[in-house]
Amino acid sequence: MSVRRIMGIETELGITSTQVDAHGQPMSPMVLSGQVVRAYAAGAGAGAALQRGAGWDYADETPLRDARGYDVARALADISQLTDVEDPTIANSVLSNGARFYVDHAHPEYSSPEVTSPLEAVRYDRAGELVGQLATRTLAQDGLSVSLYKNNVDGKGASYGTHENYLVPRTVPFDRLAALLIPFLVARPVIAGAGRVGIGQASERPGFQLSQRADYLEAEVGLETTLRRPIVNTRDEPHATPHLHRRLHVIVGDATMADVTTYLAVGSLSAALRVIQTHPELLEGLRLARPVAAAQTISHDPTLKATVPLVDGRSLTGIDLLELHLEAAEQARASGHELWPPDTETADVLVRWRSVLDGLRADPRSCAAQVEWVAKLSLLQRFRDRAGVGWDDARVAAMDIQWHDLDPARGLAQKLRAAGQLERLVPDEAIASAMTDPPEDTRAWFRGEVVRRFGDDVRAASWDSVVVLDERNRLRRVQLPEPTDATRAQTAALLARHTRTASLLTELASDDV
């Protein structure tokens, strides 16, 4: 297992358009987002997406269940938390690659399929960029100009999320998980931040910082994701066999355009989780005195010299904290524990993690091809030097947004990738195939293939179910509780034997809907 586990990334995309409605008013982001989601299915062609009605099965959603052992009353929950309510007016689709593409909080959101490794997480995250690009090209053919941005802030006070998901054993106590994970999450932007122009939620002060999300953190632990945002989210919605698995829902990360940054973000976090599972004593001494303030202190200092206080009285930099987490991972792996078997991807994550930390200590600019905030800062600093302007110049803020533009003709990160100035880990052809083909070693393969092969007979799907028609046109739910079941190896022959879901159901257990 090591850094390998079930994981995935979901990203709300920023959206803008110069289009106006019939009354001459700017088009609603909700309407625009719905058009983007529907345009992907139209542009990708038959079999690319399920998009009938809601297209999502909400039966097993539990957004108000808290990992600390209770459920929040619906009457007390913010409306943004009620994600288990079907709204047929909102565009919602399940793609042939096993992903979900839908409208969430007035943003198009691409939620990648479940994968089992950090490199596959990068691949399917990048595939989401292609999904957005195809959708906007399709809309452009119909005369509608829409721009999508893979970022987390609009520079005016609004923030939208990039959430990561990691499956961990239910046997790991949540209190331990949260307490030991907080210092890592606070420091991780040093190697995983996308960079941001402006300090404060509404960019009240000029400057540059490492993370797009740090200024929006207001609590250490909590259930919310759009208000009172916590460092550790407590939503207990495993999308898997509940008594075996917990889904850690990480809401503090940045949307990233650099392959190595994304790879280290998920790889290092998966390694930290493994240490918490197997050798928690190695991390006990790293608890922070004031975690929320520490997150902002670290993010606000691109020199990487700022220190934050620990409970034990020490003060450490973000690099110090990450190096201690890396040393814990290296020590745990050397222990020979069965959850740390030799595998090349774990070795690569740890080696790259070490190399980046060493580079940042020596000269952050040496890591511009690997660490996104460094690459962005280098580009913006060159412009500031030429133009003789400060961080409060409107052109600098515009370049910050343009960095994340998904259009290859405009996006600054896209241009650096194409020029070889951002290191690539996944070739273009592998990303293109991930846009339509699901991962072969998780249940996403079955979900995606059912959508592709039997789309006319599929009425809805979720992470752990597919709802299809039987021989009497009744709805039947096929449960998929284990993420590592229903893989290609397990179900390819089964699917090949059938041309309709009615006959497929004769070989599968299913429930009435």
Side-chain angles (χ1 to χ4, degrees):
M1 294 289 289
S2 55
V3 298
R4 297 178 62 85
R5 69 175 69 240
I6 294 294
M7 61 180 70
I9 303 172
E10 51 194 69
T11 303
E12 296 177 40
L13 300 171
I15 184 168
T16 63
S17 177
T18 57
Q19 305 294 136
V20 296
D21 61 22
H23 305 288
Q25 298 299 312
M27 292 187 69
S28 156
M30 183 76 76
V31 172
L32 283 172
S33 297
Q35 291 178 320
V36 167
V37 171
R38 295 184 184 95
Y40 173 71
L50 167 67
Q51 196 164 269
R52 179 183 293 102
W56 193 252
D57 182 12
Y58 293 89
D60 293 328
E61 303 275 324
T62 56
L64 301 181
R65 185 161 299 157
D66 195 294
R68 292 168 290 186
Y70 56 85
D71 284 16
V72 173
R74 296 187 76 86
L76 300 178
D78 185 82
I79 191 171
S80 65
Q81 295 176 266
L82 304 180
T83 57
D84 57 342
V85 179
E86 181 175 336
D87 184 347
T89 68
I90 294 178
N92 205 330
S93 61
V94 181
L95 311 188
S96 64
N97 70 348
R100 184 186 185 190
F101 193 39
Y102 71 114
V103 178
D104 187 26
H105 301 128
H107 295 269
E109 177 171 316
Y110 172 83
S111 297
S112 78
E114 312 93 317
V115 298
T116 59
S117 76
L119 194 60
E120 281 290 271
V122 174
R123 180 184 172 216
Y124 278 90
D125 181 58
R126 295 291 172 267
E129 297 176 15
L130 298 187
V131 168
Q133 290 173 20
L134 177 56
T136 56
R137 287 199 302 270
T138 301
L139 289 174
Q141 292 171 3
D142 295 330
L144 180 58
S145 175
V146 174
S147 297
L148 296 178
Y149 303 88
K150 192 181 178 192
N151 69 342
N152 302 106
V153 292
D154 65 357
K156 303 174 183 177
S159 179
Y160 28 98
T162 293
H163 299 171
E164 305 150 49
N165 300 287
Y166 304 84
L167 213 63
V168 297
R170 180 69 65 170
T171 53
V172 179
F174 183 79
D175 288 347
R176 180 211 294 173
L177 186 67
L180 297 185
L181 195 58
I182 284 174
F184 174 81
L185 291 175
V186 165
R188 189 179 61 157
V190 169
I191 61 172
R196 176 191 165 197
V197 172
I199 307 295
Q201 292 190 2
S203 300
E204 297 91 344
R205 292 182 285 132
F208 181 90
Q209 60 176 304
L210 314 187
S211 169
Q212 300 220 331
R213 295 285 276 177
D215 285 347
Y216 297 88
L217 299 177
E218 298 174 335
E220 295 180 29
V221 179
L223 185 62
E224 296 86 355
T225 59
T226 61
L227 68 163
R228 298 185 297 277
R229 292 181 178 93
I231 298 170
V232 173
N233 181 256
T234 60
R235 184 167 175 168
D236 192 1
E237 193 175 48
H239 300 315
T241 306
H243 69 278
L244 297 178
H245 307 293
R246 184 191 309 281
R247 177 176 63 106
L248 179 68
H249 191 52
V250 177
I251 70 168
V252 298
D254 289 356
T256 48
M257 305 287 290
D259 283 11
V260 177
T261 303
T262 308
Y263 182 65
L264 286 179
V266 295
S268 63
L269 179 46
S270 186
L273 289 172
R274 193 69 65 199
V275 176
I276 293 171
Q277 288 175 234
T278 64
H279 296 77
E281 70 281 359
L282 297 177
L283 301 177
E284 281 291 347
L286 300 181
R287 302 193 186 212
L288 297 169
R290 296 184 295 276
V292 173
Q296 291 158 8
T297 297
I298 289 172
S299 181
H300 293 174
D301 179 35
T303 71
L304 306 179
K305 304 298 185 184
T307 61
V308 294
L310 275 62
V311 170
D312 65 9
R314 289 181 294 165
S315 291
L316 299 177
T317 66
I319 291 183
D320 294 335
L321 281 168
L322 288 180
E323 188 160 57
L324 290 170
H325 281 86
L326 173 57
E327 289 173 358
E330 292 170 336
Q331 186 175 339
R333 186 166 184 259
S335 70
H337 193 284
E338 63 181 3
L339 293 183
W340 289 92
D343 72 88
T344 57
E345 191 157 350
T346 296
D348 186 63
V349 166
L350 299 184
V351 167
R352 284 182 177 274
W353 188 355
R354 172 68 64 189
S355 174
V356 165
L357 288 182
D358 289 346
L360 290 172
R361 278 197 187 279
D363 181 0
R365 292 172 297 180
S366 68
C367 297
Q370 291 80 37
V371 180
E372 185 159 339
W373 72 261
V374 177
K376 181 190 284 187
L377 176 59
S378 299
L379 181 69
L380 296 181
Q381 188 60 54
R382 289 195 297 271
F383 173 79
R384 291 179 63 232
D385 290 343
R386 290 195 306 271
V389 298
W391 286 114
D392 55 351
D393 189 275
R395 291 169 293 178
V396 176
M399 290 176 68
D400 184 18
I401 300 295
Q402 190 181 355
W403 176 274
H404 303 272
D405 195 325
L406 289 188
D407 188 329
R410 297 191 303 264
L412 298 179
Q414 300 266 24
K415 291 181 178 181
L416 287 188
R417 274 191 211 158
Q421 296 181 47
L422 286 177
E423 182 180 349
R424 299 289 302 273
L425 298 180
V426 185
D428 288 340
E429 56 271 20
I431 298 171
S433 67
M435 184 182 175
T436 55
D437 300 335
E440 297 185 359
D441 58 353
T442 71
R443 64 187 173 194
W445 195 83
F446 181 84
R447 181 191 313 119
E449 283 297 299
V450 167
V451 167
R452 185 178 68 83
R453 295 168 185 247
F454 311 116
D456 290 341
D457 293 340
V458 183
R459 288 297 179 265
S462 71
W463 304 116
D464 51 9
S465 68
V466 178
V467 177
V468 299
L469 296 175
D470 68 8
E471 75 285 352
R472 297 171 61 182
N473 282 335
R474 297 174 302 186
L475 295 180
R476 305 287 295 179
R477 178 178 290 112
V478 177
Q479 300 281 3
L480 304 168
E482 282 300 310
T484 53
D485 287 346
T487 64
R488 178 172 185 169
Q490 294 169 330
T491 62
L494 167 69
L495 295 180
R497 289 195 292 270
H498 302 280
T499 58
R500 299 292 301 272
T501 58
S503 63
L504 177 65
L505 288 171
T506 64
E507 296 192 61
L508 289 174
S510 61
D511 304 316
D512 290 331
V513 175

